[in-house]
Amino acid sequence: MTDYLARLNSEQRDAVQTLDGPLLVLAGAGTGKTRVLTTRFAHILLSGRASPGQVLAVTFTNKAAREMRERVSAILGRPVEGLWLGTFHALCARMLRRHAGLAGLSANFTILDSDDQLRLLRQIMDAERLDTKRWAPPALMAVIQRWKDRGLTPGRITASDDTDFAAGRARVLYAAYQERLRALNAADFGDLLLHMTDILRSHNDVLAQYHRMFRYVLVDEYQDTNLVQYLWLRLLAQGHRNICCVGDDDQSIYSWRGAEVENILRFEKDFEGAKIIRLEANYRSTAPILAAASGLIAHNESRLGKTLRPGRDDAQTGEAVTVVGLWDSDEEARMVGERVEALRRDGHPLGEMAILVRAGFQTRAFEERLILIGVPYRVIGGLRFYERQEIRDAVAYMRATLQPADDLAFERIVNVPRRGVGEAALRALHETARAEGLPLAAAAQNLIDAGGLRGRVKESMGELLRGFARWREMADRDGHVVATATMLDESGYMEMWKQDKSPEAPGRLDNLKELVRALSEFETLAGFLDHVSLVMENDEDAAGDRVSLMTLHAAKGLEFDTVFLPGWEEGVFPNQRALDEGGVKSLEEERRLAYVGLTRARRRAIVSHAANRRIYANWQTSIPSRFIDELPSEHVTQEGSAALARDARIATATSFPSQFPLVARRVRTVEVWEQPVRPARSEAIPVGARVFHQKFGYGTVRAAEDDRLDIAFDKAGEKRVLDRFVERA
Ligand code: ATP
Ligand code: MG
């Protein structure tokens, strides 16, 4: 047997050697699905069944594509050229360039980013005289994107696909948008797949050409394909029918982006005679990690069900999953930092450690801790906290407020949100500034005074300048936290993102709140701004040994010796917004995310939760995530002082408000300090009781466990809360 086949178990080998006909490898995390796909690729080439250009291989990220290319080359013992290997988007872009004419484009079409897309949609809505205050362009963008995910061109949309956006006019707007894109010789991301699928559907000669070309089709992370990707695959695979998809329904985590796990179930139907291979040995994680992950995912009802057994030689010697309860979020960051340092001292490379969070804003606390203790890190699949657009904007506001001569900051935000400051106004500003030797802000004031600006620009610019003065004064009087929160509010910056209906907007708002939280750790705004500059400086070359920080979504397919999973608290994870929007279905997707997180770990998984989190300048109590309760206790070691923290909180809760005055109350956007309404351990509230909660209002108790209640609130939906925060109604 050749070397590369000998490195597989018999089921894996079967999956590599079953080359004819459709094949689905359905298997749990870490069972070697990706390894099978890579080996299969090499095997096809080495056995002479196809040349590199005759295999179509789809991966979920560009990074995964690079890795696959390297591994195939390693098995072959030489670099391979001319592969059709990449993400759906990359592969479709390449194809579409060859057939652009059939989509009404020319081969050099531009691919628009989401900013361009929005600008275009706004123009179209304006032209149709739609009220873009009432019907937000990002919302339309999302509707169109969902249609594209489902392979629906404007002509294919039926009444049942229609939405009530803009009183049913979305379809017309969509058609106009597609027209406009064509006229501009441009395509958005969704178009790459949509156009290609459409071309393959309606041009038999093109389809036949690809059928001749691609003898084999390979697909990784199949559970996260959406409908249009599926259609595209099915069309291309119909020729030779040699399609091999690998996936795990328990790791389907992109339904919010249109992924349909049903594509797995459909596979057998669409590809008659498909062979299904299951892999059951997990080679990644130690036995306790695997058992903990399996115990957790068993709580999901809608799943195909799989067996997973430890396959590592040393699997049985592993440590249990550690669950650490901490007093507050600062302590949590410190704990993670200390463990990273300890492991490093023991000779563990940083590259083998990862911190996986539910939401992007959570990276900040860990980034700052790592910078403080001098541990290099990288953020995978996203930007470092202070590099994010909304954070840079907010920091620019702070700089412009504090330093009236900071022209760079002023220019960055003068028209964000839109204040009608166009190029002409900017040019006038610059000219005045240069002529009078003044900073831009001062020049703006002079221009206004001299009547050089008119109408809306004059109004909004004047308002902004008065704002700067007011916020500056406020920082001196009320403190920089209040001043900044007020500034983000009054400048309309927060509002801009609230109105933005794109999928990224909620994350940006969370980042902004996190920024204000960060501010409260500094005495002055100037101190904070210095800190930000230092943090931004701290960027040695990207190579080298570093800890990885990323969201759970970005961690799919990756593995590390040590994985930190912080923030396992109700509301954070499972994420409250997801629960509010999607109920049980979303809860199951959150649980799959937790499963993905745990199964990234080879040797060590450290889950943690904090009893207190700061929201703006206030503290909010949290209770441990239900996912922690769902981990089988025999595979978990509890550490830290979760229970202790809970009792201590009751004792000290009332002292927090004075320590952190209710400054943020004055700001419309902040959460209000919550205080327990009853002391701990008073009489229990029974299931079925009507209750009142300070923040969520009236509701009915659905379940009770220790001091936690699952309550169906009349207005706020299902929530899990601590019983001392509710009163019987
Ligand atoms: P995920 O579901 O997370 O994407 P996967 O099923 O794709 O996981 P791989 O990443 O391919 O799993 O493999 C997990 C780990 O197990 C890798 O380190 C891989 O090299 C190793 N591995 C896979 N098969 C074997 C095997 N037969 N013997 C030893 N190690 C293996
Ligand atoms: Mg994989």
Side-chain angles (χ1 to χ4, degrees):
M1 200 193 305
T2 51
D3 249 17
Y4 62 91
L5 289 176
R7 282 199 294 266
L8 303 174
N9 67 29
S10 64
E11 293 80 26
Q12 292 176 329
R13 214 174 298 130
D14 190 17
V16 167
Q17 290 178 310
T18 306
L19 291 174
D20 297 323
L23 173 68
L24 177 66
V25 178
L26 185 61
T31 50
K33 294 183 297 298
T34 303
R35 185 189 265 212
V36 159
L37 218 52
T38 310
T39 314
R40 186 181 164 93
F41 200 148
H43 186 59
I44 290 168
L45 302 183
L46 281 171
S47 62
R49 283 165 175 263
S51 61
Q54 292 175 322
V55 181
L56 178 72
V58 190
T59 57
F60 203 73
T61 59
N62 292 319
K63 180 166 182 272
R66 268 196 309 279
E67 276 175 20
M68 188 169 288
R69 181 187 312 269
E70 280 162 20
R71 290 199 194 145
V72 171
S73 299
I75 298 177
L76 263 62
R78 59 184 157 80
V80 274
E81 304 289 333
L83 298 183
W84 281 83
L85 164 63
T87 62
F88 280 106
H89 284 122
L91 292 165
C92 280
R94 187 166 156 198
M95 283 186 182
L96 191 56
R97 298 243 177 248
R98 306 166 134 208
H99 315 285
L102 300 178
L105 301 168
S106 45
N108 63 350
F109 65 86
T110 355
I111 301 175
L112 296 190
D113 64 17
S114 54
D115 280 357
D116 296 332
Q117 258 175 286
L118 273 179
R119 207 166 305 126
L120 210 56
L121 282 172
R122 194 179 292 279
Q123 286 170 10
I124 288 166
M125 292 173 81
D126 285 345
E128 293 278 321
R129 297 215 163 65
L130 267 166
D131 178 2
T132 48
K133 287 236 160 50
R134 172 131 182 255
W135 308 104
L140 178 62
M141 186 158 106
V143 169
I144 292 177
Q145 191 51 50
R146 286 292 90 82
W147 280 336
K148 290 186 175 178
D149 285 345
R150 290 167 53 208
L152 297 172
T153 50
R156 286 180 194 268
I157 294 169
T158 60
S160 65
D161 301 313
D162 222 338
T163 76
D164 51 11
F165 183 89
R169 286 165 75 189
R171 198 171 6 163
V172 178
L173 295 167
Y174 178 24
Y177 173 65
Q178 292 304 93
E179 266 318 302
R180 200 69 196 110
L181 284 173
R182 261 192 206 105
L184 292 169
N185 191 30
D188 66 19
F189 253 59
D191 278 345
L192 300 174
L193 271 139
L194 186 75
H195 285 327
M196 248 350 274
T197 307
D198 215 39
I199 290 171
L200 295 175
R201 271 199 281 219
S202 45
H203 295 272
N204 279 330
D205 52 327
V206 178
L207 184 62
Q209 178 190 333
Y210 283 107
H211 283 167
R212 279 193 299 278
M213 187 164 150
F214 295 133
R215 300 193 175 180
Y216 294 92
V217 178
L218 310 173
V219 188
D220 201 0
E221 305 281 3
Y222 182 59
Q223 75 279 356
D224 278 322
T225 48
N226 63 30
L227 195 60
V228 70
Q229 293 167 339
Y230 173 79
L231 292 172
W232 179 81
L233 281 174
R234 197 176 65 177
L235 283 161
L236 289 171
Q238 267 163 0
H240 291 272
R241 296 183 78 249
N242 297 328
I243 178 169
C244 170
C245 297
V246 309
D248 176 7
D249 58 308
D250 287 333
Q251 294 186 69
S252 146
I253 54 176
Y254 278 96
S255 71
W256 53 284
R257 252 176 26 189
E260 302 193 8
V261 70
E262 289 78 15
N263 290 343
I264 290 192
L265 309 174
R266 203 183 285 166
F267 191 86
E268 267 185 289
K269 257 192 245 143
D270 278 349
F271 294 102
E272 214 182 307
K275 178 165 171 174
I276 303 212
I277 293 181
R278 292 173 190 268
L279 309 174
E280 300 189 336
N282 169 301
Y283 293 97
R284 179 179 296 143
S285 311
T286 58
I289 294 175
L290 200 56
S294 303
L296 175 76
I297 199 66
H299 285 80
N300 269 8
E301 282 182 4
S302 56
R303 58 192 292 250
L304 300 174
K306 283 185 288 298
T307 323
L308 259 190
R309 57 186 161 74
R312 280 170 69 125
D313 297 338
D314 62 349
Q316 301 304 334
T317 59
E319 307 165 21
V321 170
T322 310
V323 173
V324 192
L326 298 137
W327 167 249
D328 63 19
S329 35
D330 296 344
E331 216 177 73
E332 185 180 50
R334 208 174 311 131
M335 181 277 292
V336 171
E338 277 165 11
R339 285 181 195 233
V340 166
E341 282 186 306
L343 286 165
R344 186 190 205 183
R345 270 197 304 278
D346 289 344
H348 298 277
L350 296 176
E352 279 308 328
M353 304 177 211
I355 305 171
L356 310 182
V357 295
R358 172 63 183 89
F361 80 91
Q362 291 173 274
T363 64
R364 187 199 65 88
F366 301 100
E367 289 187 51
E368 298 210 353
R369 194 73 212 166
L370 292 173
I371 290 169
L372 189 74
I373 61 178
V375 170
Y377 70 91
R378 67 168 65 86
V379 176
I380 294 187
L383 295 171
R384 302 191 307 159
F385 185 79
Y386 290 110
E387 286 168 357
R388 296 173 193 165
Q389 180 192 343
E390 61 282 9
I391 299 303
R392 299 179 87 128
D393 286 347
V395 167
Y397 266 103
M398 294 180 201
R399 280 170 40 189
T401 300
L402 202 68
Q403 301 147 5
D406 191 334
D407 282 357
L408 286 177
F410 181 83
E411 223 181 317
R412 181 176 177 108
I413 46 87
V414 66
N415 204 28
V416 183
R418 284 155 190 276
R419 296 191 175 88
V421 184
E423 271 178 33
L426 263 183
R427 212 173 315 120
L429 270 185
H430 275 288
E431 275 162 18
T432 313
R434 222 169 311 137
E436 302 181 12
L438 287 173
L440 287 175
Q445 191 59 58
N446 284 2
L447 258 184
I448 292 174
D449 296 344
L453 290 175
R454 270 173 232 293
R456 180 171 166 217
V457 190
K458 179 183 167 197
E459 282 301 309
S460 57
M461 187 88 84
E463 176 65 33
L464 180 66
L465 295 173
R466 283 191 297 280
F468 285 138
R470 197 166 59 245
W471 304 322
R472 207 171 298 139
E473 209 184 282
M474 192 178 250
D476 292 338
R477 193 183 57 228
D478 303 324
H480 58 299
V481 181
V482 189
T484 306
T486 309
M487 174 185 84
L488 291 175
D489 201 31
E490 290 182 351
S491 63
Y493 190 71
M494 280 296 229
E495 192 57 31
M496 179 182 92
W497 289 119
K498 279 189 200 154
Q499 293 305 324
D500 187 309
K501 294 290 178 291
S502 66
E504 294 80 31
R508 294 191 197 276
L509 285 167
D510 284 343
N511 282 337
L512 289 167
K513 288 184 192 163
E514 178 66 15
L515 179 73
V516 178
R517 203 192 84 75
L519 266 179
S520 55
E521 292 167 12
F522 292 82
E523 303 228 323
T524 61
L525 200 52
F528 176 74
L529 289 174
D530 282 350
H531 169 76
V532 175
S533 330
L534 291 176
V535 170
M536 299 288 279
E537 276 279 285
N538 196 289
D539 191 26
E540 314 107 82
D541 67 320
D545 195 27
R546 284 160 182 250
V547 174
S548 299
L549 252 81
M550 71 198 92
T551 62
L552 290 159
H553 280 104
K556 207 167 65 148
L558 307 181
E559 57 185 25
F560 302 89
D561 279 344
T562 305
V563 170
F564 293 95
L565 298 159
W568 282 38
E569 292 135 34
E570 284 294 304
V572 177
F573 190 40
N575 177 279
Q576 192 63 47
R577 201 177 305 126
L579 295 189
D580 290 346
E581 281 166 17
V584 175
K585 267 189 119 169
S586 293
L587 175 62
E588 296 213 334
E589 181 142 325
E590 294 287 300
R591 197 177 278 115
R592 288 194 292 271
L593 257 184
Y595 175 78
V596 167
L598 278 169
T599 54
R600 297 310 95 200
R602 291 202 198 97
R603 321 194 119 267
R604 256 166 253 103
I606 298 110
V607 172
S608 56
H609 59 95
N612 297 287
R613 279 194 190 273
R614 215 178 333 202
I615 305 276
Y616 275 158
N618 298 326
W619 287 89
Q620 202 176 45
T621 52
S622 344
I623 59 176
S625 167
R626 69 189 80 190
F627 299 151
I628 291 181
D629 297 344
E630 291 170 2
L631 299 174
S633 57
E634 62 275 27
H635 301 294
V636 169
T637 319
Q638 292 270 358
E639 283 180 26
S641 48
L644 195 138
R646 217 179 301 158
D647 288 344
R649 184 182 58 236
I650 301 310
T652 52
T654 43
S655 68
F656 273 126
S658 55
Q659 210 176 325
F660 297 96
L662 287 176
V663 284
R665 246 190 214 288
R666 298 185 210 163
V667 184
R668 277 202 304 273
T669 45
V670 303
E671 315 250 357
V672 172
W673 166 254
E674 288 178 79
Q675 225 176 326
V677 291
R678 303 184 307 136
R681 279 182 293 280
S682 60
E683 138 254 14
I685 298 182
V687 172
R690 288 288 290 168
V691 292
F692 177 78
H693 184 280
Q694 288 176 326
K695 191 160 145 208
F696 305 129
Y698 288 96
T700 307
V701 179
R702 292 274 178 246
E705 201 190 316
D706 297 333
D707 55 352
R708 294 149 209 209
L709 302 174
D710 287 331
I711 300 178
F713 288 103
D714 303 349
K715 295 243 164 57
E718 290 267 353
K719 295 215 174 353
R720 182 170 287 195
V721 298
L722 280 172
D723 66 357
R724 48 191 165 274
F725 285 85
V726 299
E727 285 172 285
R728 295 197 64 164

